[in-house]
Amino acid sequence: MADEKSIPFIEVRDLKKYYPIKGGVITHTTGHIRAVDGVSFSIPKGQTLGLVGESGCGKSTIGRQLVGLEIPTAGTICYDGCDLAAIRKDKQQLRQVRTKLQMVFQDPYSSLNPRKHVFEILAQPMLYHHISTRASVEQDIRKLMDMVGLPKTVLGRYPHEFSGGQRQRIAIAKALSLNPEFIICDEPVSALDVSIQAQILNLLKELQKELNLTFLFVGHGLGAVNYVSHQIAVMYLGKIVEIGEAREVFHHPVHPYTRALLEAVPVPDTAQKDKERRLLQGEIGSNTNPPSGCRFHSRCPYATDACAHEEPELESAANGTLPTFHKAACPVMLKNISKAPNSIAPESIRKTAHSFVPENIQNASDTAASKIIREEAAHG
């Protein structure tokens, strides 16, 4: 029998989401915003895929499509082997499936009804979907409070009476109230203090282990994403440019955009303030009219003439010289990296990346669990 974790629980194939641009005297579609443009990945049951990239690259749009808040323009989304597009035709089946797919939003204040107290916020969906009865709902809600680390005395309070971290715990409890199997975490810690971020990240890991949950974790901070994820996918202008095991992507980045994200981590140590950092140059491309060929070529330090015309496909870079496992990277960059001026040879990427990344982790201000990550880096 195949290992349960090796079977994709969530599978996305060639997912696209285009938003029409309206204009003209007689309103008509003049173009499209290509928020997501051909994304594919899979998540085994009980694991977490971290999705990172710049604002506007399509991370949150993917999450909204996975839970059914938006309908894909093209592509397929399979949940536990079932195509969600086919499930939408059966309203009863769709209602059952949608309770299994939940989302935790970035801003818990806007995602919680300000006119209802915590008990009502949690009880109403549980009663509507017959998760609990009127006789058992209070006991079930008290269990939820214990799971997210909140006292039972808060059930009569309103969202504005809580701190940001407490509101996010309530939002997590709301997502858990329908007994989901898959949860989208859309930047759940980006608006919180660093100490509170660590608590929420640890809470998510504990809940995943206890309930065997599957997560898609959307975030900006690579340290936080690496801490909770089994795999990491890096997005740029609606496409995935690199995907692989979290430790490999974080410690041995292959794609130049991934390396640029790691180098952009702030380093507060004054002793390193004069250290040269290879920051990206040029402007971010447009989702309305994306660059031809490789979408990153206008900012890539390894770009060649071919990059402006040939759109690279994701392929494995496990060739013996690059320390990757099922890592997807730009094949044009991999082919020419040793020939590019001021570049490093492929055989030295392992050593360079390994010595470069922990140094940034040690001083990174955006990682919520820097102590734990530093210990991981110190042990290899």
Side-chain angles (χ1 to χ4, degrees):
M1 183 179 292
D3 184 4
E4 184 185 42
K5 290 188 176 181
S6 66
I7 302 173
F9 184 64
I10 299 293
E11 188 172 8
V12 174
R13 294 192 296 269
D14 199 25
L15 187 67
K16 298 181 181 180
K17 181 61 180 180
Y18 296 170
Y19 296 98
I21 302 173
K22 302 293 184 179
V25 177
I26 300 176
T27 303
H28 63 284
T29 300
T30 60
H32 290 87
I33 298 174
R34 302 181 180 185
V36 180
D37 196 9
V39 168
S40 300
F41 59 82
S42 61
I43 312 175
K45 187 174 180 61
Q47 293 196 10
T48 300
L49 173 68
L51 200 57
V52 299
E54 296 173 341
S55 296
C57 69
K59 306 185 301 297
S60 297
T61 303
I62 290 178
R64 295 174 66 85
Q65 292 178 90
L66 289 179
V67 296
L69 294 178
E70 295 186 8
I71 305 300
T73 302
T76 58
I77 301 174
C78 295
Y79 159 72
D80 201 14
C82 300
D83 189 346
L84 290 184
I87 293 177
R88 290 192 191 97
K89 300 176 182 178
D90 187 338
K91 292 185 177 181
Q92 184 176 359
Q93 187 179 7
L94 177 63
R95 179 177 173 180
Q96 295 174 350
V97 168
R98 292 195 67 175
T99 62
K100 302 297 182 181
L101 310 173
Q102 295 298 309
M103 192 165 185
V104 177
F105 295 91
Q106 178 179 357
D107 183 8
Y109 189 75
S110 62
S111 64
L112 300 175
N113 192 330
R115 298 188 178 185
K116 296 183 182 295
H117 50 67
V118 175
F119 185 87
E120 289 180 291
I121 290 173
L122 299 177
Q124 287 186 349
M126 295 173 73
L127 293 174
Y128 178 80
H129 290 283
H130 307 292
I131 304 297
S132 300
T133 63
R134 293 194 176 276
S136 64
V137 66
E138 184 173 355
Q139 181 179 358
D140 293 339
I141 290 177
R142 290 178 181 273
K143 290 181 181 178
L144 282 176
M145 291 291 99
D146 289 335
M147 292 173 65
V148 299
L150 288 175
K152 305 175 184 63
T153 55
V154 306
L155 292 176
R157 293 162 59 183
Y158 291 84
H160 71 272
E161 299 180 78
F162 296 92
S163 66
Q166 290 174 324
R167 278 198 293 267
Q168 197 61 281
R169 290 175 183 270
I170 295 171
I172 293 173
K174 181 182 177 184
L176 293 174
S177 64
L178 298 180
N179 297 330
E181 295 180 332
F182 178 59
I183 298 180
I184 310 291
C185 298
D186 186 12
E187 301 185 38
V189 298
S190 62
L192 305 177
D193 293 336
V194 174
S195 60
I196 306 301
Q197 289 182 24
Q199 296 176 17
I200 299 299
L201 293 176
N202 286 328
L203 173 62
L204 291 174
K205 293 191 71 171
E206 291 172 4
L207 291 173
Q208 182 177 47
K209 183 177 181 180
E210 181 179 348
L211 303 176
N212 196 28
L213 297 171
T214 306
F215 285 130
L216 175 69
F217 189 93
V218 177
H220 285 290
L222 284 172
V225 172
N226 177 61
Y227 179 58
V228 299
S229 302
H230 298 87
Q231 297 182 69
I232 292 179
V234 182
M235 287 193 66
Y236 184 80
L237 278 183
K239 286 184 173 291
I240 291 179
V241 297
E242 183 169 354
I243 185 171
E245 296 297 323
R247 288 178 61 87
E248 287 299 314
V249 173
F250 193 72
H251 293 284
H252 310 294
V254 173
H255 198 279
Y257 178 64
T258 309
R259 300 182 64 193
L261 288 180
L262 288 167
E263 290 203 1
V265 173
V267 180
D269 188 356
T270 56
Q272 301 184 34
K273 65 179 181 180
D274 296 328
K275 180 181 177 181
E276 183 179 354
R277 312 183 77 182
R278 297 183 294 272
L279 301 180
L280 290 178
Q281 304 296 323
E283 296 293 331
I284 303 174
S286 170
N287 290 97
T288 304
N289 186 23
S292 60
C294 175
R295 297 193 175 185
F296 187 62
H297 80 269
S298 60
R299 305 174 72 193
C300 180
Y302 307 111
T304 64
D305 293 338
C307 298
H309 307 288
E310 301 175 12
E311 183 172 352
E313 297 292 335
L314 297 183
E315 64 178 31
S316 174
N319 57 9
T321 59
L322 296 172
T324 56
F325 300 94
H326 306 292
K327 176 76 63 64
C330 169
V332 177
M333 186 275 294
L334 294 176
K335 179 180 179 181
N336 296 287
I337 188 171
S338 61
K339 302 177 182 179
N342 300 320
S343 68
I344 54 177
E347 57 268 22
S348 63
I349 289 181
R350 176 193 298 268
K351 185 180 296 184
T352 302
H354 184 73
S355 62
F356 147 71
V357 177
E359 184 177 354
N360 283 272
I361 298 171
Q362 184 176 2
N363 302 292
S365 61
D366 75 330
T367 171
S370 58
K371 179 180 179 182
I372 298 175
I373 298 176
R374 286 202 305 271
E375 291 176 354
E376 277 193 13
H379 290 85

